Amino acid sequence: MGVIEKIKEIEEEMARTQKNKATEYHLGLLKAKLARYRAQLLEPTTKSGKAGEGFDVMKSGDARVALIGFPSVGKSTFLSKMTHTASAVAAYEFTTLTAIPGVIDYEGARIQLLDLPGIVEGASQGRGRGRQVVSVAKTADLIIMMLDANKTQEQRRLLEIELEAVGIRLNKKKPDVVFKQKTGGGIVINATVKLTKIDEKAVRTVLAGYKIHNCDVMIREDITIDEFIDVLIGTRKYIPCLYVYNKVDSVSLEMIEQLAQQDHSVVISCEMGLNLDYLLERLWEELGLVKIYTKKRGEHPDLTDPICLRRGATIEHVCHGIHRSLVSKFRYALIWGKSSKFNPHAQKVGLNHPVADEDVVSIFTK
């Protein structure tokens, strides 16, 4: 029996099993098996078949954004409008057959935008180049899910199911759980909060399903059994996602209002160029980038070429952004801006000082 057949069998058994107190441990074991088989399906242990054309694109710029959606929702038109990169556009489905990169220049940052081929239902099991599409999506810093405003919400649900199946968690944080395997001593489970969705027996059942008999588990938040399985597997990707509804020029105002008020949603029209500026603002916000300007001694700061870093970056990251050898020669830095204690005056800081958006930094070396 192949992996796909085993997955189907487990899914059928889960659908047949009633959810109640008596069956929750059995369901937990089935979920653990299902996650294991899905991981095998995505990462086969042996190579088979001839070498094909490369699908992934080298990561470049300050951040990578992946465009995901069903065929013919306007992904290629969006890429052409935002990046001035030519991507084949036509009225029929599956116009794009490989990953096409483009670059958005915004606020001094270079954001790589990838137009991926349309996903079909069953992509997580390898249908329609689905496995390659979602594996490229895993390398992105943000996913834009392109949806057709004329179609039902079922399209969004199906795409979320496909991405969940391959280990991509949209707009979620990594569970606050510490899991450490050891050579002996049995299973030790500790929790710092009251657990309402899972208990110790369920944790032990899942661990037994993975043949883990010696480990330490520290649970610091109220998690579900699925989140605990994600921690055990350890290869899950937690990626922010923007749901972008295209073709809003062909729906009613009431529908636009309804779609725009949903969480993490933006309504646009690529054909008419509506709301694309606001989408860029949301992109910047979701990516959590900050701009840092550099200043040479005795000169005005260079406001034309900022260094773009992630929110929470420090002076050390700024040094790496300028040149990797700078950290070893670093003496101190002067910083002007929101992170300076004496703003608008400069503050003398070390490598661990956190920087804020639009700070000006002058670095002094030994």
Side-chain angles (χ1 to χ4, degrees), residues 26 35 61 101 142 145 160 176 185 193 224 239 248 263 277-278 352-353:
H26 176 61
L142 174 77
M145 194 182 283
E160 284 175 338
D176 194 1
V193 293
T224 62
I239 304 174
V248 293
D263 284 343
D277 291 343
Y278 174 66
N352 296 326
H353 179 81

Side-chain angles (χ1 to χ4, degrees), residues 168-223:
I168 295 175
R169 303 289 177 259
L170 301 175
N171 298 321
K172 287 182 182 174
K173 283 185 179 176
K174 194 175 179 181
D176 194 1
V177 176
V178 179
F179 167 73
K180 193 177 174 185
Q181 267 190 280
K182 50 189 185 179
T183 51
I187 295 169
V188 179
I189 300 165
N190 291 303
T192 59
V193 293
K194 190 182 179 186
L195 302 178
T196 59
K197 303 166 191 169
I198 193 172
D199 59 16
E200 193 172 316
K201 190 181 174 185
V203 172
R204 288 180 185 275
T205 305
V206 171
L207 289 168
Y210 279 92
K211 298 181 173 60
I212 297 169
H213 307 294
N214 298 292
C215 69
D216 288 331
V217 179
M218 169 66 80
I219 303 171
R220 293 178 178 148
E221 67 173 294
D222 193 10
I223 57 165

Side-chain angles (χ1 to χ4, degrees), residues 64-361:
R64 171 181 273 194
V65 176
L67 273 174
I68 279 188
F70 284 120
S72 213
V73 291
K75 297 189 298 297
S76 299
T77 311
F78 179 76
L79 180 83
S80 305
K81 286 260 184 184
M82 301 295 271
T83 66
H84 311 296
T85 302
S87 181
V89 178
Y92 54 84
E93 297 190 341
F94 299 107
T95 318
T96 306
L97 298 172
T98 186
I100 298 170
V103 175
I104 301 172
D105 285 306
Y106 181 71
E107 297 271 346
R110 290 173 61 78
I111 301 167
Q112 187 183 43
L113 187 64
L114 280 187
D115 178 18
L116 300 177
I119 280 187
V120 292
E121 209 175 330
S124 56
Q125 293 172 7
R127 281 189 66 205
R129 298 204 83 177
R131 205 177 291 172
Q132 293 102 312
V133 172
V134 289
S135 65
V136 174
K138 274 189 168 185
T139 66
D141 301 302
L142 174 77
I143 288 174
I144 288 183
M145 194 182 283
M146 286 290 274
L147 303 161
D148 192 335
N150 296 290
K151 294 180 182 171
T152 61
Q153 286 288 6
E154 185 70 7
Q155 55 176 339
R156 172 171 163 173
R157 196 185 66 83
L158 289 171
L159 281 170
E160 284 175 338
I161 288 169
E162 292 300 332
L163 294 175
E164 281 272 330
V166 296
I168 295 175
R169 303 289 177 259
L170 301 175
N171 298 321
K172 287 182 182 174
K173 283 185 179 176
K174 194 175 179 181
D176 194 1
V177 176
V178 179
F179 167 73
K180 193 177 174 185
Q181 267 190 280
K182 50 189 185 179
T183 51
I187 295 169
V188 179
I189 300 165
N190 291 303
T192 59
V193 293
K194 190 182 179 186
L195 302 178
T196 59
K197 303 166 191 169
I198 193 172
D199 59 16
E200 193 172 316
K201 190 181 174 185
V203 172
R204 288 180 185 275
T205 305
V206 171
L207 289 168
Y210 279 92
K211 298 181 173 60
I212 297 169
H213 307 294
N214 298 292
C215 69
D216 288 331
V217 179
M218 169 66 80
I219 303 171
R220 293 178 178 148
E221 67 173 294
D222 193 10
I223 57 165
T224 62
I225 203 156
D226 296 304
E227 288 172 329
F228 181 64
I229 291 167
D230 286 349
V231 170
L232 283 189
I233 292 172
T235 56
R236 301 304 192 219
K237 290 281 178 184
Y238 298 85
I239 304 174
C241 175
L242 267 182
Y243 301 99
V244 178
Y245 291 90
N246 190 20
K247 306 180 185 178
V248 293
D249 50 301
S250 56
V251 297
S252 66
L253 277 171
E254 290 79 8
M255 188 66 178
I256 293 172
E257 186 74 23
Q258 191 182 326
L259 294 172
Q261 285 184 353
Q262 292 176 11
D263 284 343
H264 309 286
S265 296
V266 180
V267 291
I268 63 163
S269 170
C270 288
E271 205 62 46
M272 297 181 72
L274 299 175
N275 217 25
L276 296 178
D277 291 343
Y278 174 66
L279 176 55
L280 273 177
E281 287 174 26
R282 285 295 299 271
L283 260 184
W284 180 266
E285 197 181 300
E286 293 287 336
L287 284 167
L289 294 172
V290 293
K291 301 186 297 294
I292 306 299
Y293 301 108
T294 53
K295 179 186 176 303
K296 289 182 181 175
R297 195 184 309 187
E299 291 182 22
H300 290 293
D302 180 9
L303 302 177
T304 56
D305 188 20
I307 298 167
C308 289
L309 302 166
R310 292 300 154 100
R311 204 174 286 141
T314 61
I315 292 291
E316 189 174 350
H317 296 107
V318 176
C319 292
H320 285 303
I322 298 167
H323 197 277
R324 60 187 170 192
S325 66
L326 206 54
V327 173
S328 57
K329 300 173 186 172
F330 180 86
R331 263 175 69 209
Y332 67 90
L334 288 177
I335 193 160
W336 293 261
K338 294 173 195 167
S339 72
S340 168
K341 200 189 291 182
F342 314 115
N343 191 25
H345 303 291
Q347 182 187 351
K348 188 177 175 181
V349 295
L351 283 172
N352 296 326
H353 179 81
V355 292
D357 192 26
E358 298 187 336
D359 275 357
V360 174
V361 175

